[in-house]
Amino acid sequence: MRSTRTIDISTGLFVLLGFAAILFMVTQITNSGYSMKSDSYRLKASFENIGGLKSGAPVSLAGVTIGRVEDIQYDMGLYKAIVTMRINDKYRAIPNDSDASIYTAGLLGGQYIGLTPGSSDVPYKDGEQVIMANDAIVLEHLISKYLFNSAATPPGESTPAPAPAAQE
Amino acid sequence: MTIVLRELVQSFLTFLERVGLLVRFALRLAAILPSGLLRPKPIIEQVYNTGAMSLVIIMTCGLFIGMVLGLQGYDLLTRFGSEEYLGTATAISLLRELGPVVTALLFAGRAGTALAAELGLMRATDQIAAMEIMAVDPMRRVVLPRFLGGVIAMPLLVSIFIVVALFGAQLVGVEFFGVDAGSYWSQMRSAVELSDIREGLVKGLVFGVACSLIAVYEGYNAQPTAEGVGRATTRTVVISAVVTLILDYILTALML
Amino acid sequence: MDSGKTVFSALDIEIRRGAITAIMGPSGTGKTTLLKLITGQIFADRGQVIVDGLDVARLKRKQIYALRRRMGMLFQNGALLTDLDVFENVAFPLREHTRLPERLIRTIVLTKLHAVGLRGAAELYPQQLSGGMGRRVALARAIVMDPEILIYDEPFAGLDPISMGVVLRLIRSLNDALGITSIVVTHDVREISQIADQSFIISEGKVVASGTTAELRDHPSPIVHQFVDGLADGPVPFHYPAPEYHEQLLGGKVFA
């Protein structure tokens, strides 16, 4: 038989641990309480089409993950998607003419942003906009373009009309 | 042929009778629930007995389930070149299914049998009868706190199990196989929703009610012999496991 | 449970207030059942049990509990609550039924423990007690609420001669000092006849003899004679009913 004190303490510990676990689940593995650490800086890029990019997706430089997509907004003035990235402070010196592209990891994998370094000596500053942004390659567009070009288009016609085959 | 039929009918009637008894038992517990909540001390003791005492086994099993998920998930996901979804796959399967179900099965084996054996022993050694003679309602004094302790402990155990398992999967996926730690957690974050967590906790609570009820029922109504106590613990595990899995299907169908 | 067997058919027992009444009989005659009837744990299909003018079977749950508070019962094996120490076991009815201050509870419990000679064992747990000590603690617990009726279920079973003497003396002295009505169910004829004021011998659901110890000793009925003198054979046969011995041995078939 243990003393009541031991029981109370270990019960308290157990309940605390349980609630800590619930708190961890609610804040750390869903987006609701998500926040990045502060030792990072922001970059922005605007895309015509971001495909299936989601916030939280990695940002990589030569395949090395250097940050995350923090936020995705749609700009009604530009008709473009504004993607805010959080880059780790370790990677401060990214040339300010580097461009950003949206790639797909593997055939069916998630999408991420890949930065390609430019040649400028001046690095990007916090909150700066990336000059060159290449859109996501949308598989359906590729397919319809391919079908259209190879089968449906008569030679000579260059502007693709809405393909009826693709809509069905 | 008629003998077989008669036996079938007979065992069906026994089954119905048992269900009826269980329901009556549950209703009686529900009726004294408010008065039981007024005395928190015995409930705290039982949260200790069922929850804190199950912590080690829950955490150990959680760690290994997580590591297995890490291994299997990594192996499967690399075939599609999408191992950064390891976090998502692990988290969703843990939150929705593995967390509550495995915890409930472990709970039935660890805390459920302990409850049934304890109550069965109290029955066999006349402690329950002695309370009745002393004009103390054993349902109120003995059964209710144990039931409530189990109900309170279960969702907490489920949560602890899930979090430990997530780190177990991270250990294998990230530390051993080199999945990026950032994408492990961030892919998880972008895919897991609050409703997934809610599903896990609701299941944990329902399983907690079911497993605790079965354990205290079997223990309280055990035959007052050594053999009867043994049978009560066995039945606790078997019935809890079956009921947990059936309830799991129903709850999943309801919440999807 | 419900075996459909009639335990008592024509049982008529009157227990005198303030006296020690012994109820004796061969094993399996339903002595324990009789106690359960008196305390309202089970009810008779027919007939009445009247305690202090109250028909037990007609009482509501609350009234039965109120009646039981005026009773104390000593179980065959003590039935002490194993998760409480000796002091708390004796204090248990007080804590459940009264709101006495801690100091008063302490005084009462120590007085009762002193009465059974176990004041020094207050901090031991039931597992640490010998059979005789456990029974004395249970006796202290049974008298802690100052009951009007004290029921002993096989108080001498499994005790060594010294402990038996102690328990015997306690039953007599408690009865005299507190003016309690005592009912002792036992089959230890020699022991109980030293202290009983009146005795009943029941067999096969009927009272076969009643009276003082001396009257029973000179009772003409052969079954009383067999029981009191502990003869192996008599109206209660030594042999379980079987076919004739020589027939079964000599006549080819093993089972007729």
Side-chain angles (χ1 to χ4, degrees):
Chain A
M1 197 64 199
R2 296 177 193 228
S3 74
T4 3
R5 200 175 142 73
T6 329
I7 290 179
D8 285 347
I9 289 175
S10 21
T11 309
L13 193 71
F14 162 68
V15 172
L16 214 68
L17 215 61
F19 279 109
I22 294 178
L23 198 73
F24 180 86
M25 289 198 296
V26 172
T27 57
Q28 294 302 303
I29 68 176
T30 67
N31 263 324
S32 54
Y34 167 61
S35 67
M36 261 304 224
K37 284 181 200 115
S38 55
D39 51 350
S40 60
Y41 66 101
R42 283 196 183 86
L43 278 187
K44 283 185 179 175
S46 52
F47 296 91
E48 299 272 356
N49 191 336
I50 58 164
L53 191 73
K54 291 195 179 66
S55 59
V59 177
S60 75
L61 193 62
V64 179
T65 305
I66 59 166
R68 306 269 146 215
V69 171
E70 186 186 49
D71 184 41
I72 299 171
Q73 296 283 332
Y74 187 69
D75 188 318
M76 285 304 288
L78 294 166
Y79 300 114
K80 277 185 166 180
I82 309 293
V83 175
T84 311
M85 294 167 270
R86 273 257 179 211
I87 310 294
N88 195 310
D89 254 351
K90 275 198 291 187
Y91 311 99
R92 260 290 188 189
I94 297 172
N96 72 353
D97 58 348
S98 307
D99 60 18
S101 315
I102 297 176
Y103 297 113
T104 305
L107 189 59
L108 299 167
Q111 287 179 304
Y112 66 96
I113 293 181
L115 298 179
T116 315
S119 52
S120 166
D121 291 336
V122 189
Y124 274 128
K125 290 194 285 288
D126 186 22
E128 205 170 338
Q129 178 104 12
V130 177
I131 351 164
M132 279 267 290
N134 303 317
D135 291 345
I137 298 161
V138 181
L139 204 58
E140 291 89 329
H141 290 186
L142 262 186
I143 292 170
S144 67
K145 202 181 273 177
Y146 171 76
L147 284 176
F148 192 81
N149 285 342
S150 61
T153 1
E157 203 173 316
S158 57
T159 17
Q167 282 185 342
E168 297 228 325
Chain B
M1 200 57 205
T2 45
I3 296 171
V4 175
L5 202 69
R6 197 181 310 146
E7 289 223 330
L8 221 65
V9 170
Q10 204 57 50
S11 56
F12 183 65
L13 286 180
T14 320
F15 171 75
L16 281 186
E17 185 192 0
R18 208 166 269 157
V19 172
L21 284 173
L22 185 65
V23 169
R24 233 174 63 188
F25 185 82
L27 288 179
R28 173 118 176 71
L29 270 186
I32 57 177
L33 184 68
S35 66
L37 289 173
L38 292 179
R39 294 184 55 175
K41 189 139 179 41
I43 302 177
I44 292 172
E45 259 167 49
Q46 293 311 319
V47 171
Y48 170 81
N49 270 343
T50 50
M53 299 294 277
S54 309
L55 205 51
V56 173
I57 187 176
I58 289 287
M59 289 175 84
T60 314
C61 294
L63 182 70
F64 279 95
I65 291 268
M67 287 169 71
V68 167
L69 281 176
L71 269 178
Q72 292 280 19
Y74 180 82
D75 181 63
L76 185 69
L77 289 169
T78 39
R79 297 183 192 183
F80 305 105
S82 37
E83 57 269 23
E84 74 271 22
Y85 283 121
L86 182 63
T88 313
T90 313
I92 298 275
S93 53
L94 276 171
L95 281 170
R96 289 198 182 164
E97 288 300 331
L98 287 174
V101 171
V102 176
T103 309
L105 297 179
L106 291 173
F107 180 89
R110 170 67 181 80
T113 50
L115 279 182
E118 191 192 6
L119 287 173
L121 215 60
M122 291 181 84
R123 169 71 75 190
T125 54
D126 282 337
Q127 293 183 48
I128 286 176
M131 281 191 192
E132 280 182 355
I133 298 295
M134 289 187 279
V136 173
D137 184 359
M139 286 288 276
R140 210 177 290 244
R141 180 66 175 70
V142 180
V143 177
L144 187 66
R146 280 166 177 73
F147 170 73
L148 286 178
V151 172
I152 293 170
M154 186 69 129
L156 299 176
L157 286 174
V158 169
S159 310
I160 293 170
F161 180 91
I162 291 173
V163 170
V164 171
L166 284 176
F167 281 102
Q170 193 218 15
L171 181 70
V172 171
V174 175
E175 308 299 328
F176 296 176
F177 289 132
V179 172
D180 178 58
S183 63
Y184 177 83
W185 292 106
S186 73
Q187 290 293 347
M188 191 188 299
R189 273 183 206 119
S190 59
V192 173
E193 281 165 25
L194 272 179
S195 67
D196 295 321
I197 297 177
R198 195 161 51 228
E199 183 174 341
L201 290 180
V202 167
K203 278 186 177 177
L205 190 67
V206 174
F207 295 165
V209 170
C211 291
S212 309
L213 182 67
I214 290 165
V216 291
Y217 174 80
E218 288 295 338
Y220 189 72
N221 294 303
Q223 293 291 316
T225 58
E227 196 200 358
V229 176
R231 209 174 317 142
T233 56
T234 312
R235 288 171 56 91
T236 299
V237 176
V238 173
I239 298 176
S240 296
V242 173
V243 167
T244 296
L245 294 174
I246 293 174
L247 279 177
D248 185 43
Y249 178 79
I250 296 172
L251 287 175
T252 309
L254 281 178
M255 286 194 284
L256 268 186
Chain C
M1 299 265 149
D2 186 18
S3 59
K5 202 179 124 215
T6 307
V7 182
F8 301 122
S9 51
L11 197 72
D12 190 3
I13 292 180
E14 205 177 316
I15 289 160
R16 258 194 295 136
R17 195 183 290 264
I20 295 179
T21 305
I23 294 172
M24 297 179 275
S27 305
T29 41
K31 289 170 300 199
T32 306
T33 311
L34 183 64
L35 293 187
K36 285 186 173 172
L37 283 168
I38 296 174
T39 54
Q41 286 174 282
I42 55 170
F43 303 110
D45 293 331
R46 245 179 284 160
Q48 282 180 311
V49 177
I50 296 178
V51 179
D52 195 25
L54 300 168
D55 184 348
V56 176
R58 286 171 183 272
L59 296 180
K60 298 206 177 73
R61 192 186 193 85
K62 273 205 172 140
Q63 294 169 304
I64 289 183
Y65 273 27
L67 179 63
R68 284 184 191 161
R69 287 196 204 186
R70 298 162 55 196
M71 301 178 176
M73 179 155 170
L74 183 70
F75 281 83
Q76 230 171 82
N77 50 22
L80 295 173
L81 306 179
T82 39
D83 55 344
L84 301 177
D85 65 15
V86 165
F87 183 91
E88 285 302 323
N89 256 294
V90 179
F92 182 81
L94 292 173
R95 292 201 197 286
E96 290 292 326
H97 295 309
T98 68
R99 294 193 177 280
L100 296 177
E102 187 59 37
R103 272 190 54 198
L104 193 53
I105 290 186
R106 205 180 126 75
T107 312
I108 297 175
V109 170
L110 289 181
T111 316
K112 305 294 178 184
L113 277 176
H114 186 75
V116 297
L118 289 177
R119 194 162 36 86
E123 279 167 18
L124 297 180
Y125 276 88
Q127 303 89 289
Q128 298 166 290
L129 302 176
S130 71
M133 284 164 80
R135 221 158 295 183
R136 278 150 73 190
V137 173
L139 192 53
R141 182 179 67 179
I143 57 171
V144 78
M145 295 288 284
D146 294 324
E148 298 161 37
I149 304 167
L150 201 44
I151 301 168
Y152 302 85
D153 187 4
E154 302 282 6
F156 313 115
L159 290 188
D160 63 84
I162 301 173
S163 307
M164 213 181 263
V166 171
V167 172
L168 259 177
R169 218 190 71 195
L170 279 174
I171 295 177
R172 185 74 249 180
S173 60
L174 286 176
N175 192 81
D176 297 347
L178 306 173
I180 298 174
T181 306
S182 305
I183 305 170
V184 186
V185 162
T186 182
H187 44 230
D188 293 295
V189 186
R190 226 149 302 165
E191 283 71 30
I192 195 64
S193 47
Q194 299 171 30
I195 57 166
D197 296 317
Q198 58 169 160
S199 305
F200 293 89
I201 295 178
I202 51 178
S203 178
E204 292 169 350
K206 284 190 271 286
V207 176
V208 291
S210 64
T212 62
T213 315
E215 281 167 3
L216 285 185
R217 203 173 298 132
D218 304 327
H219 203 277
S221 152
I223 184 160
V224 176
H225 179 64
Q226 185 194 1
F227 187 74
V228 172
D229 293 336
L231 304 176
D233 209 353
V236 177
F238 172 71
H239 289 290
Y240 193 80
E244 281 300 312
Y245 193 32
H246 63 270
E247 261 177 40
Q248 198 170 14
L249 284 184
L250 299 176
K253 269 190 282 180
V254 180
F255 294 106

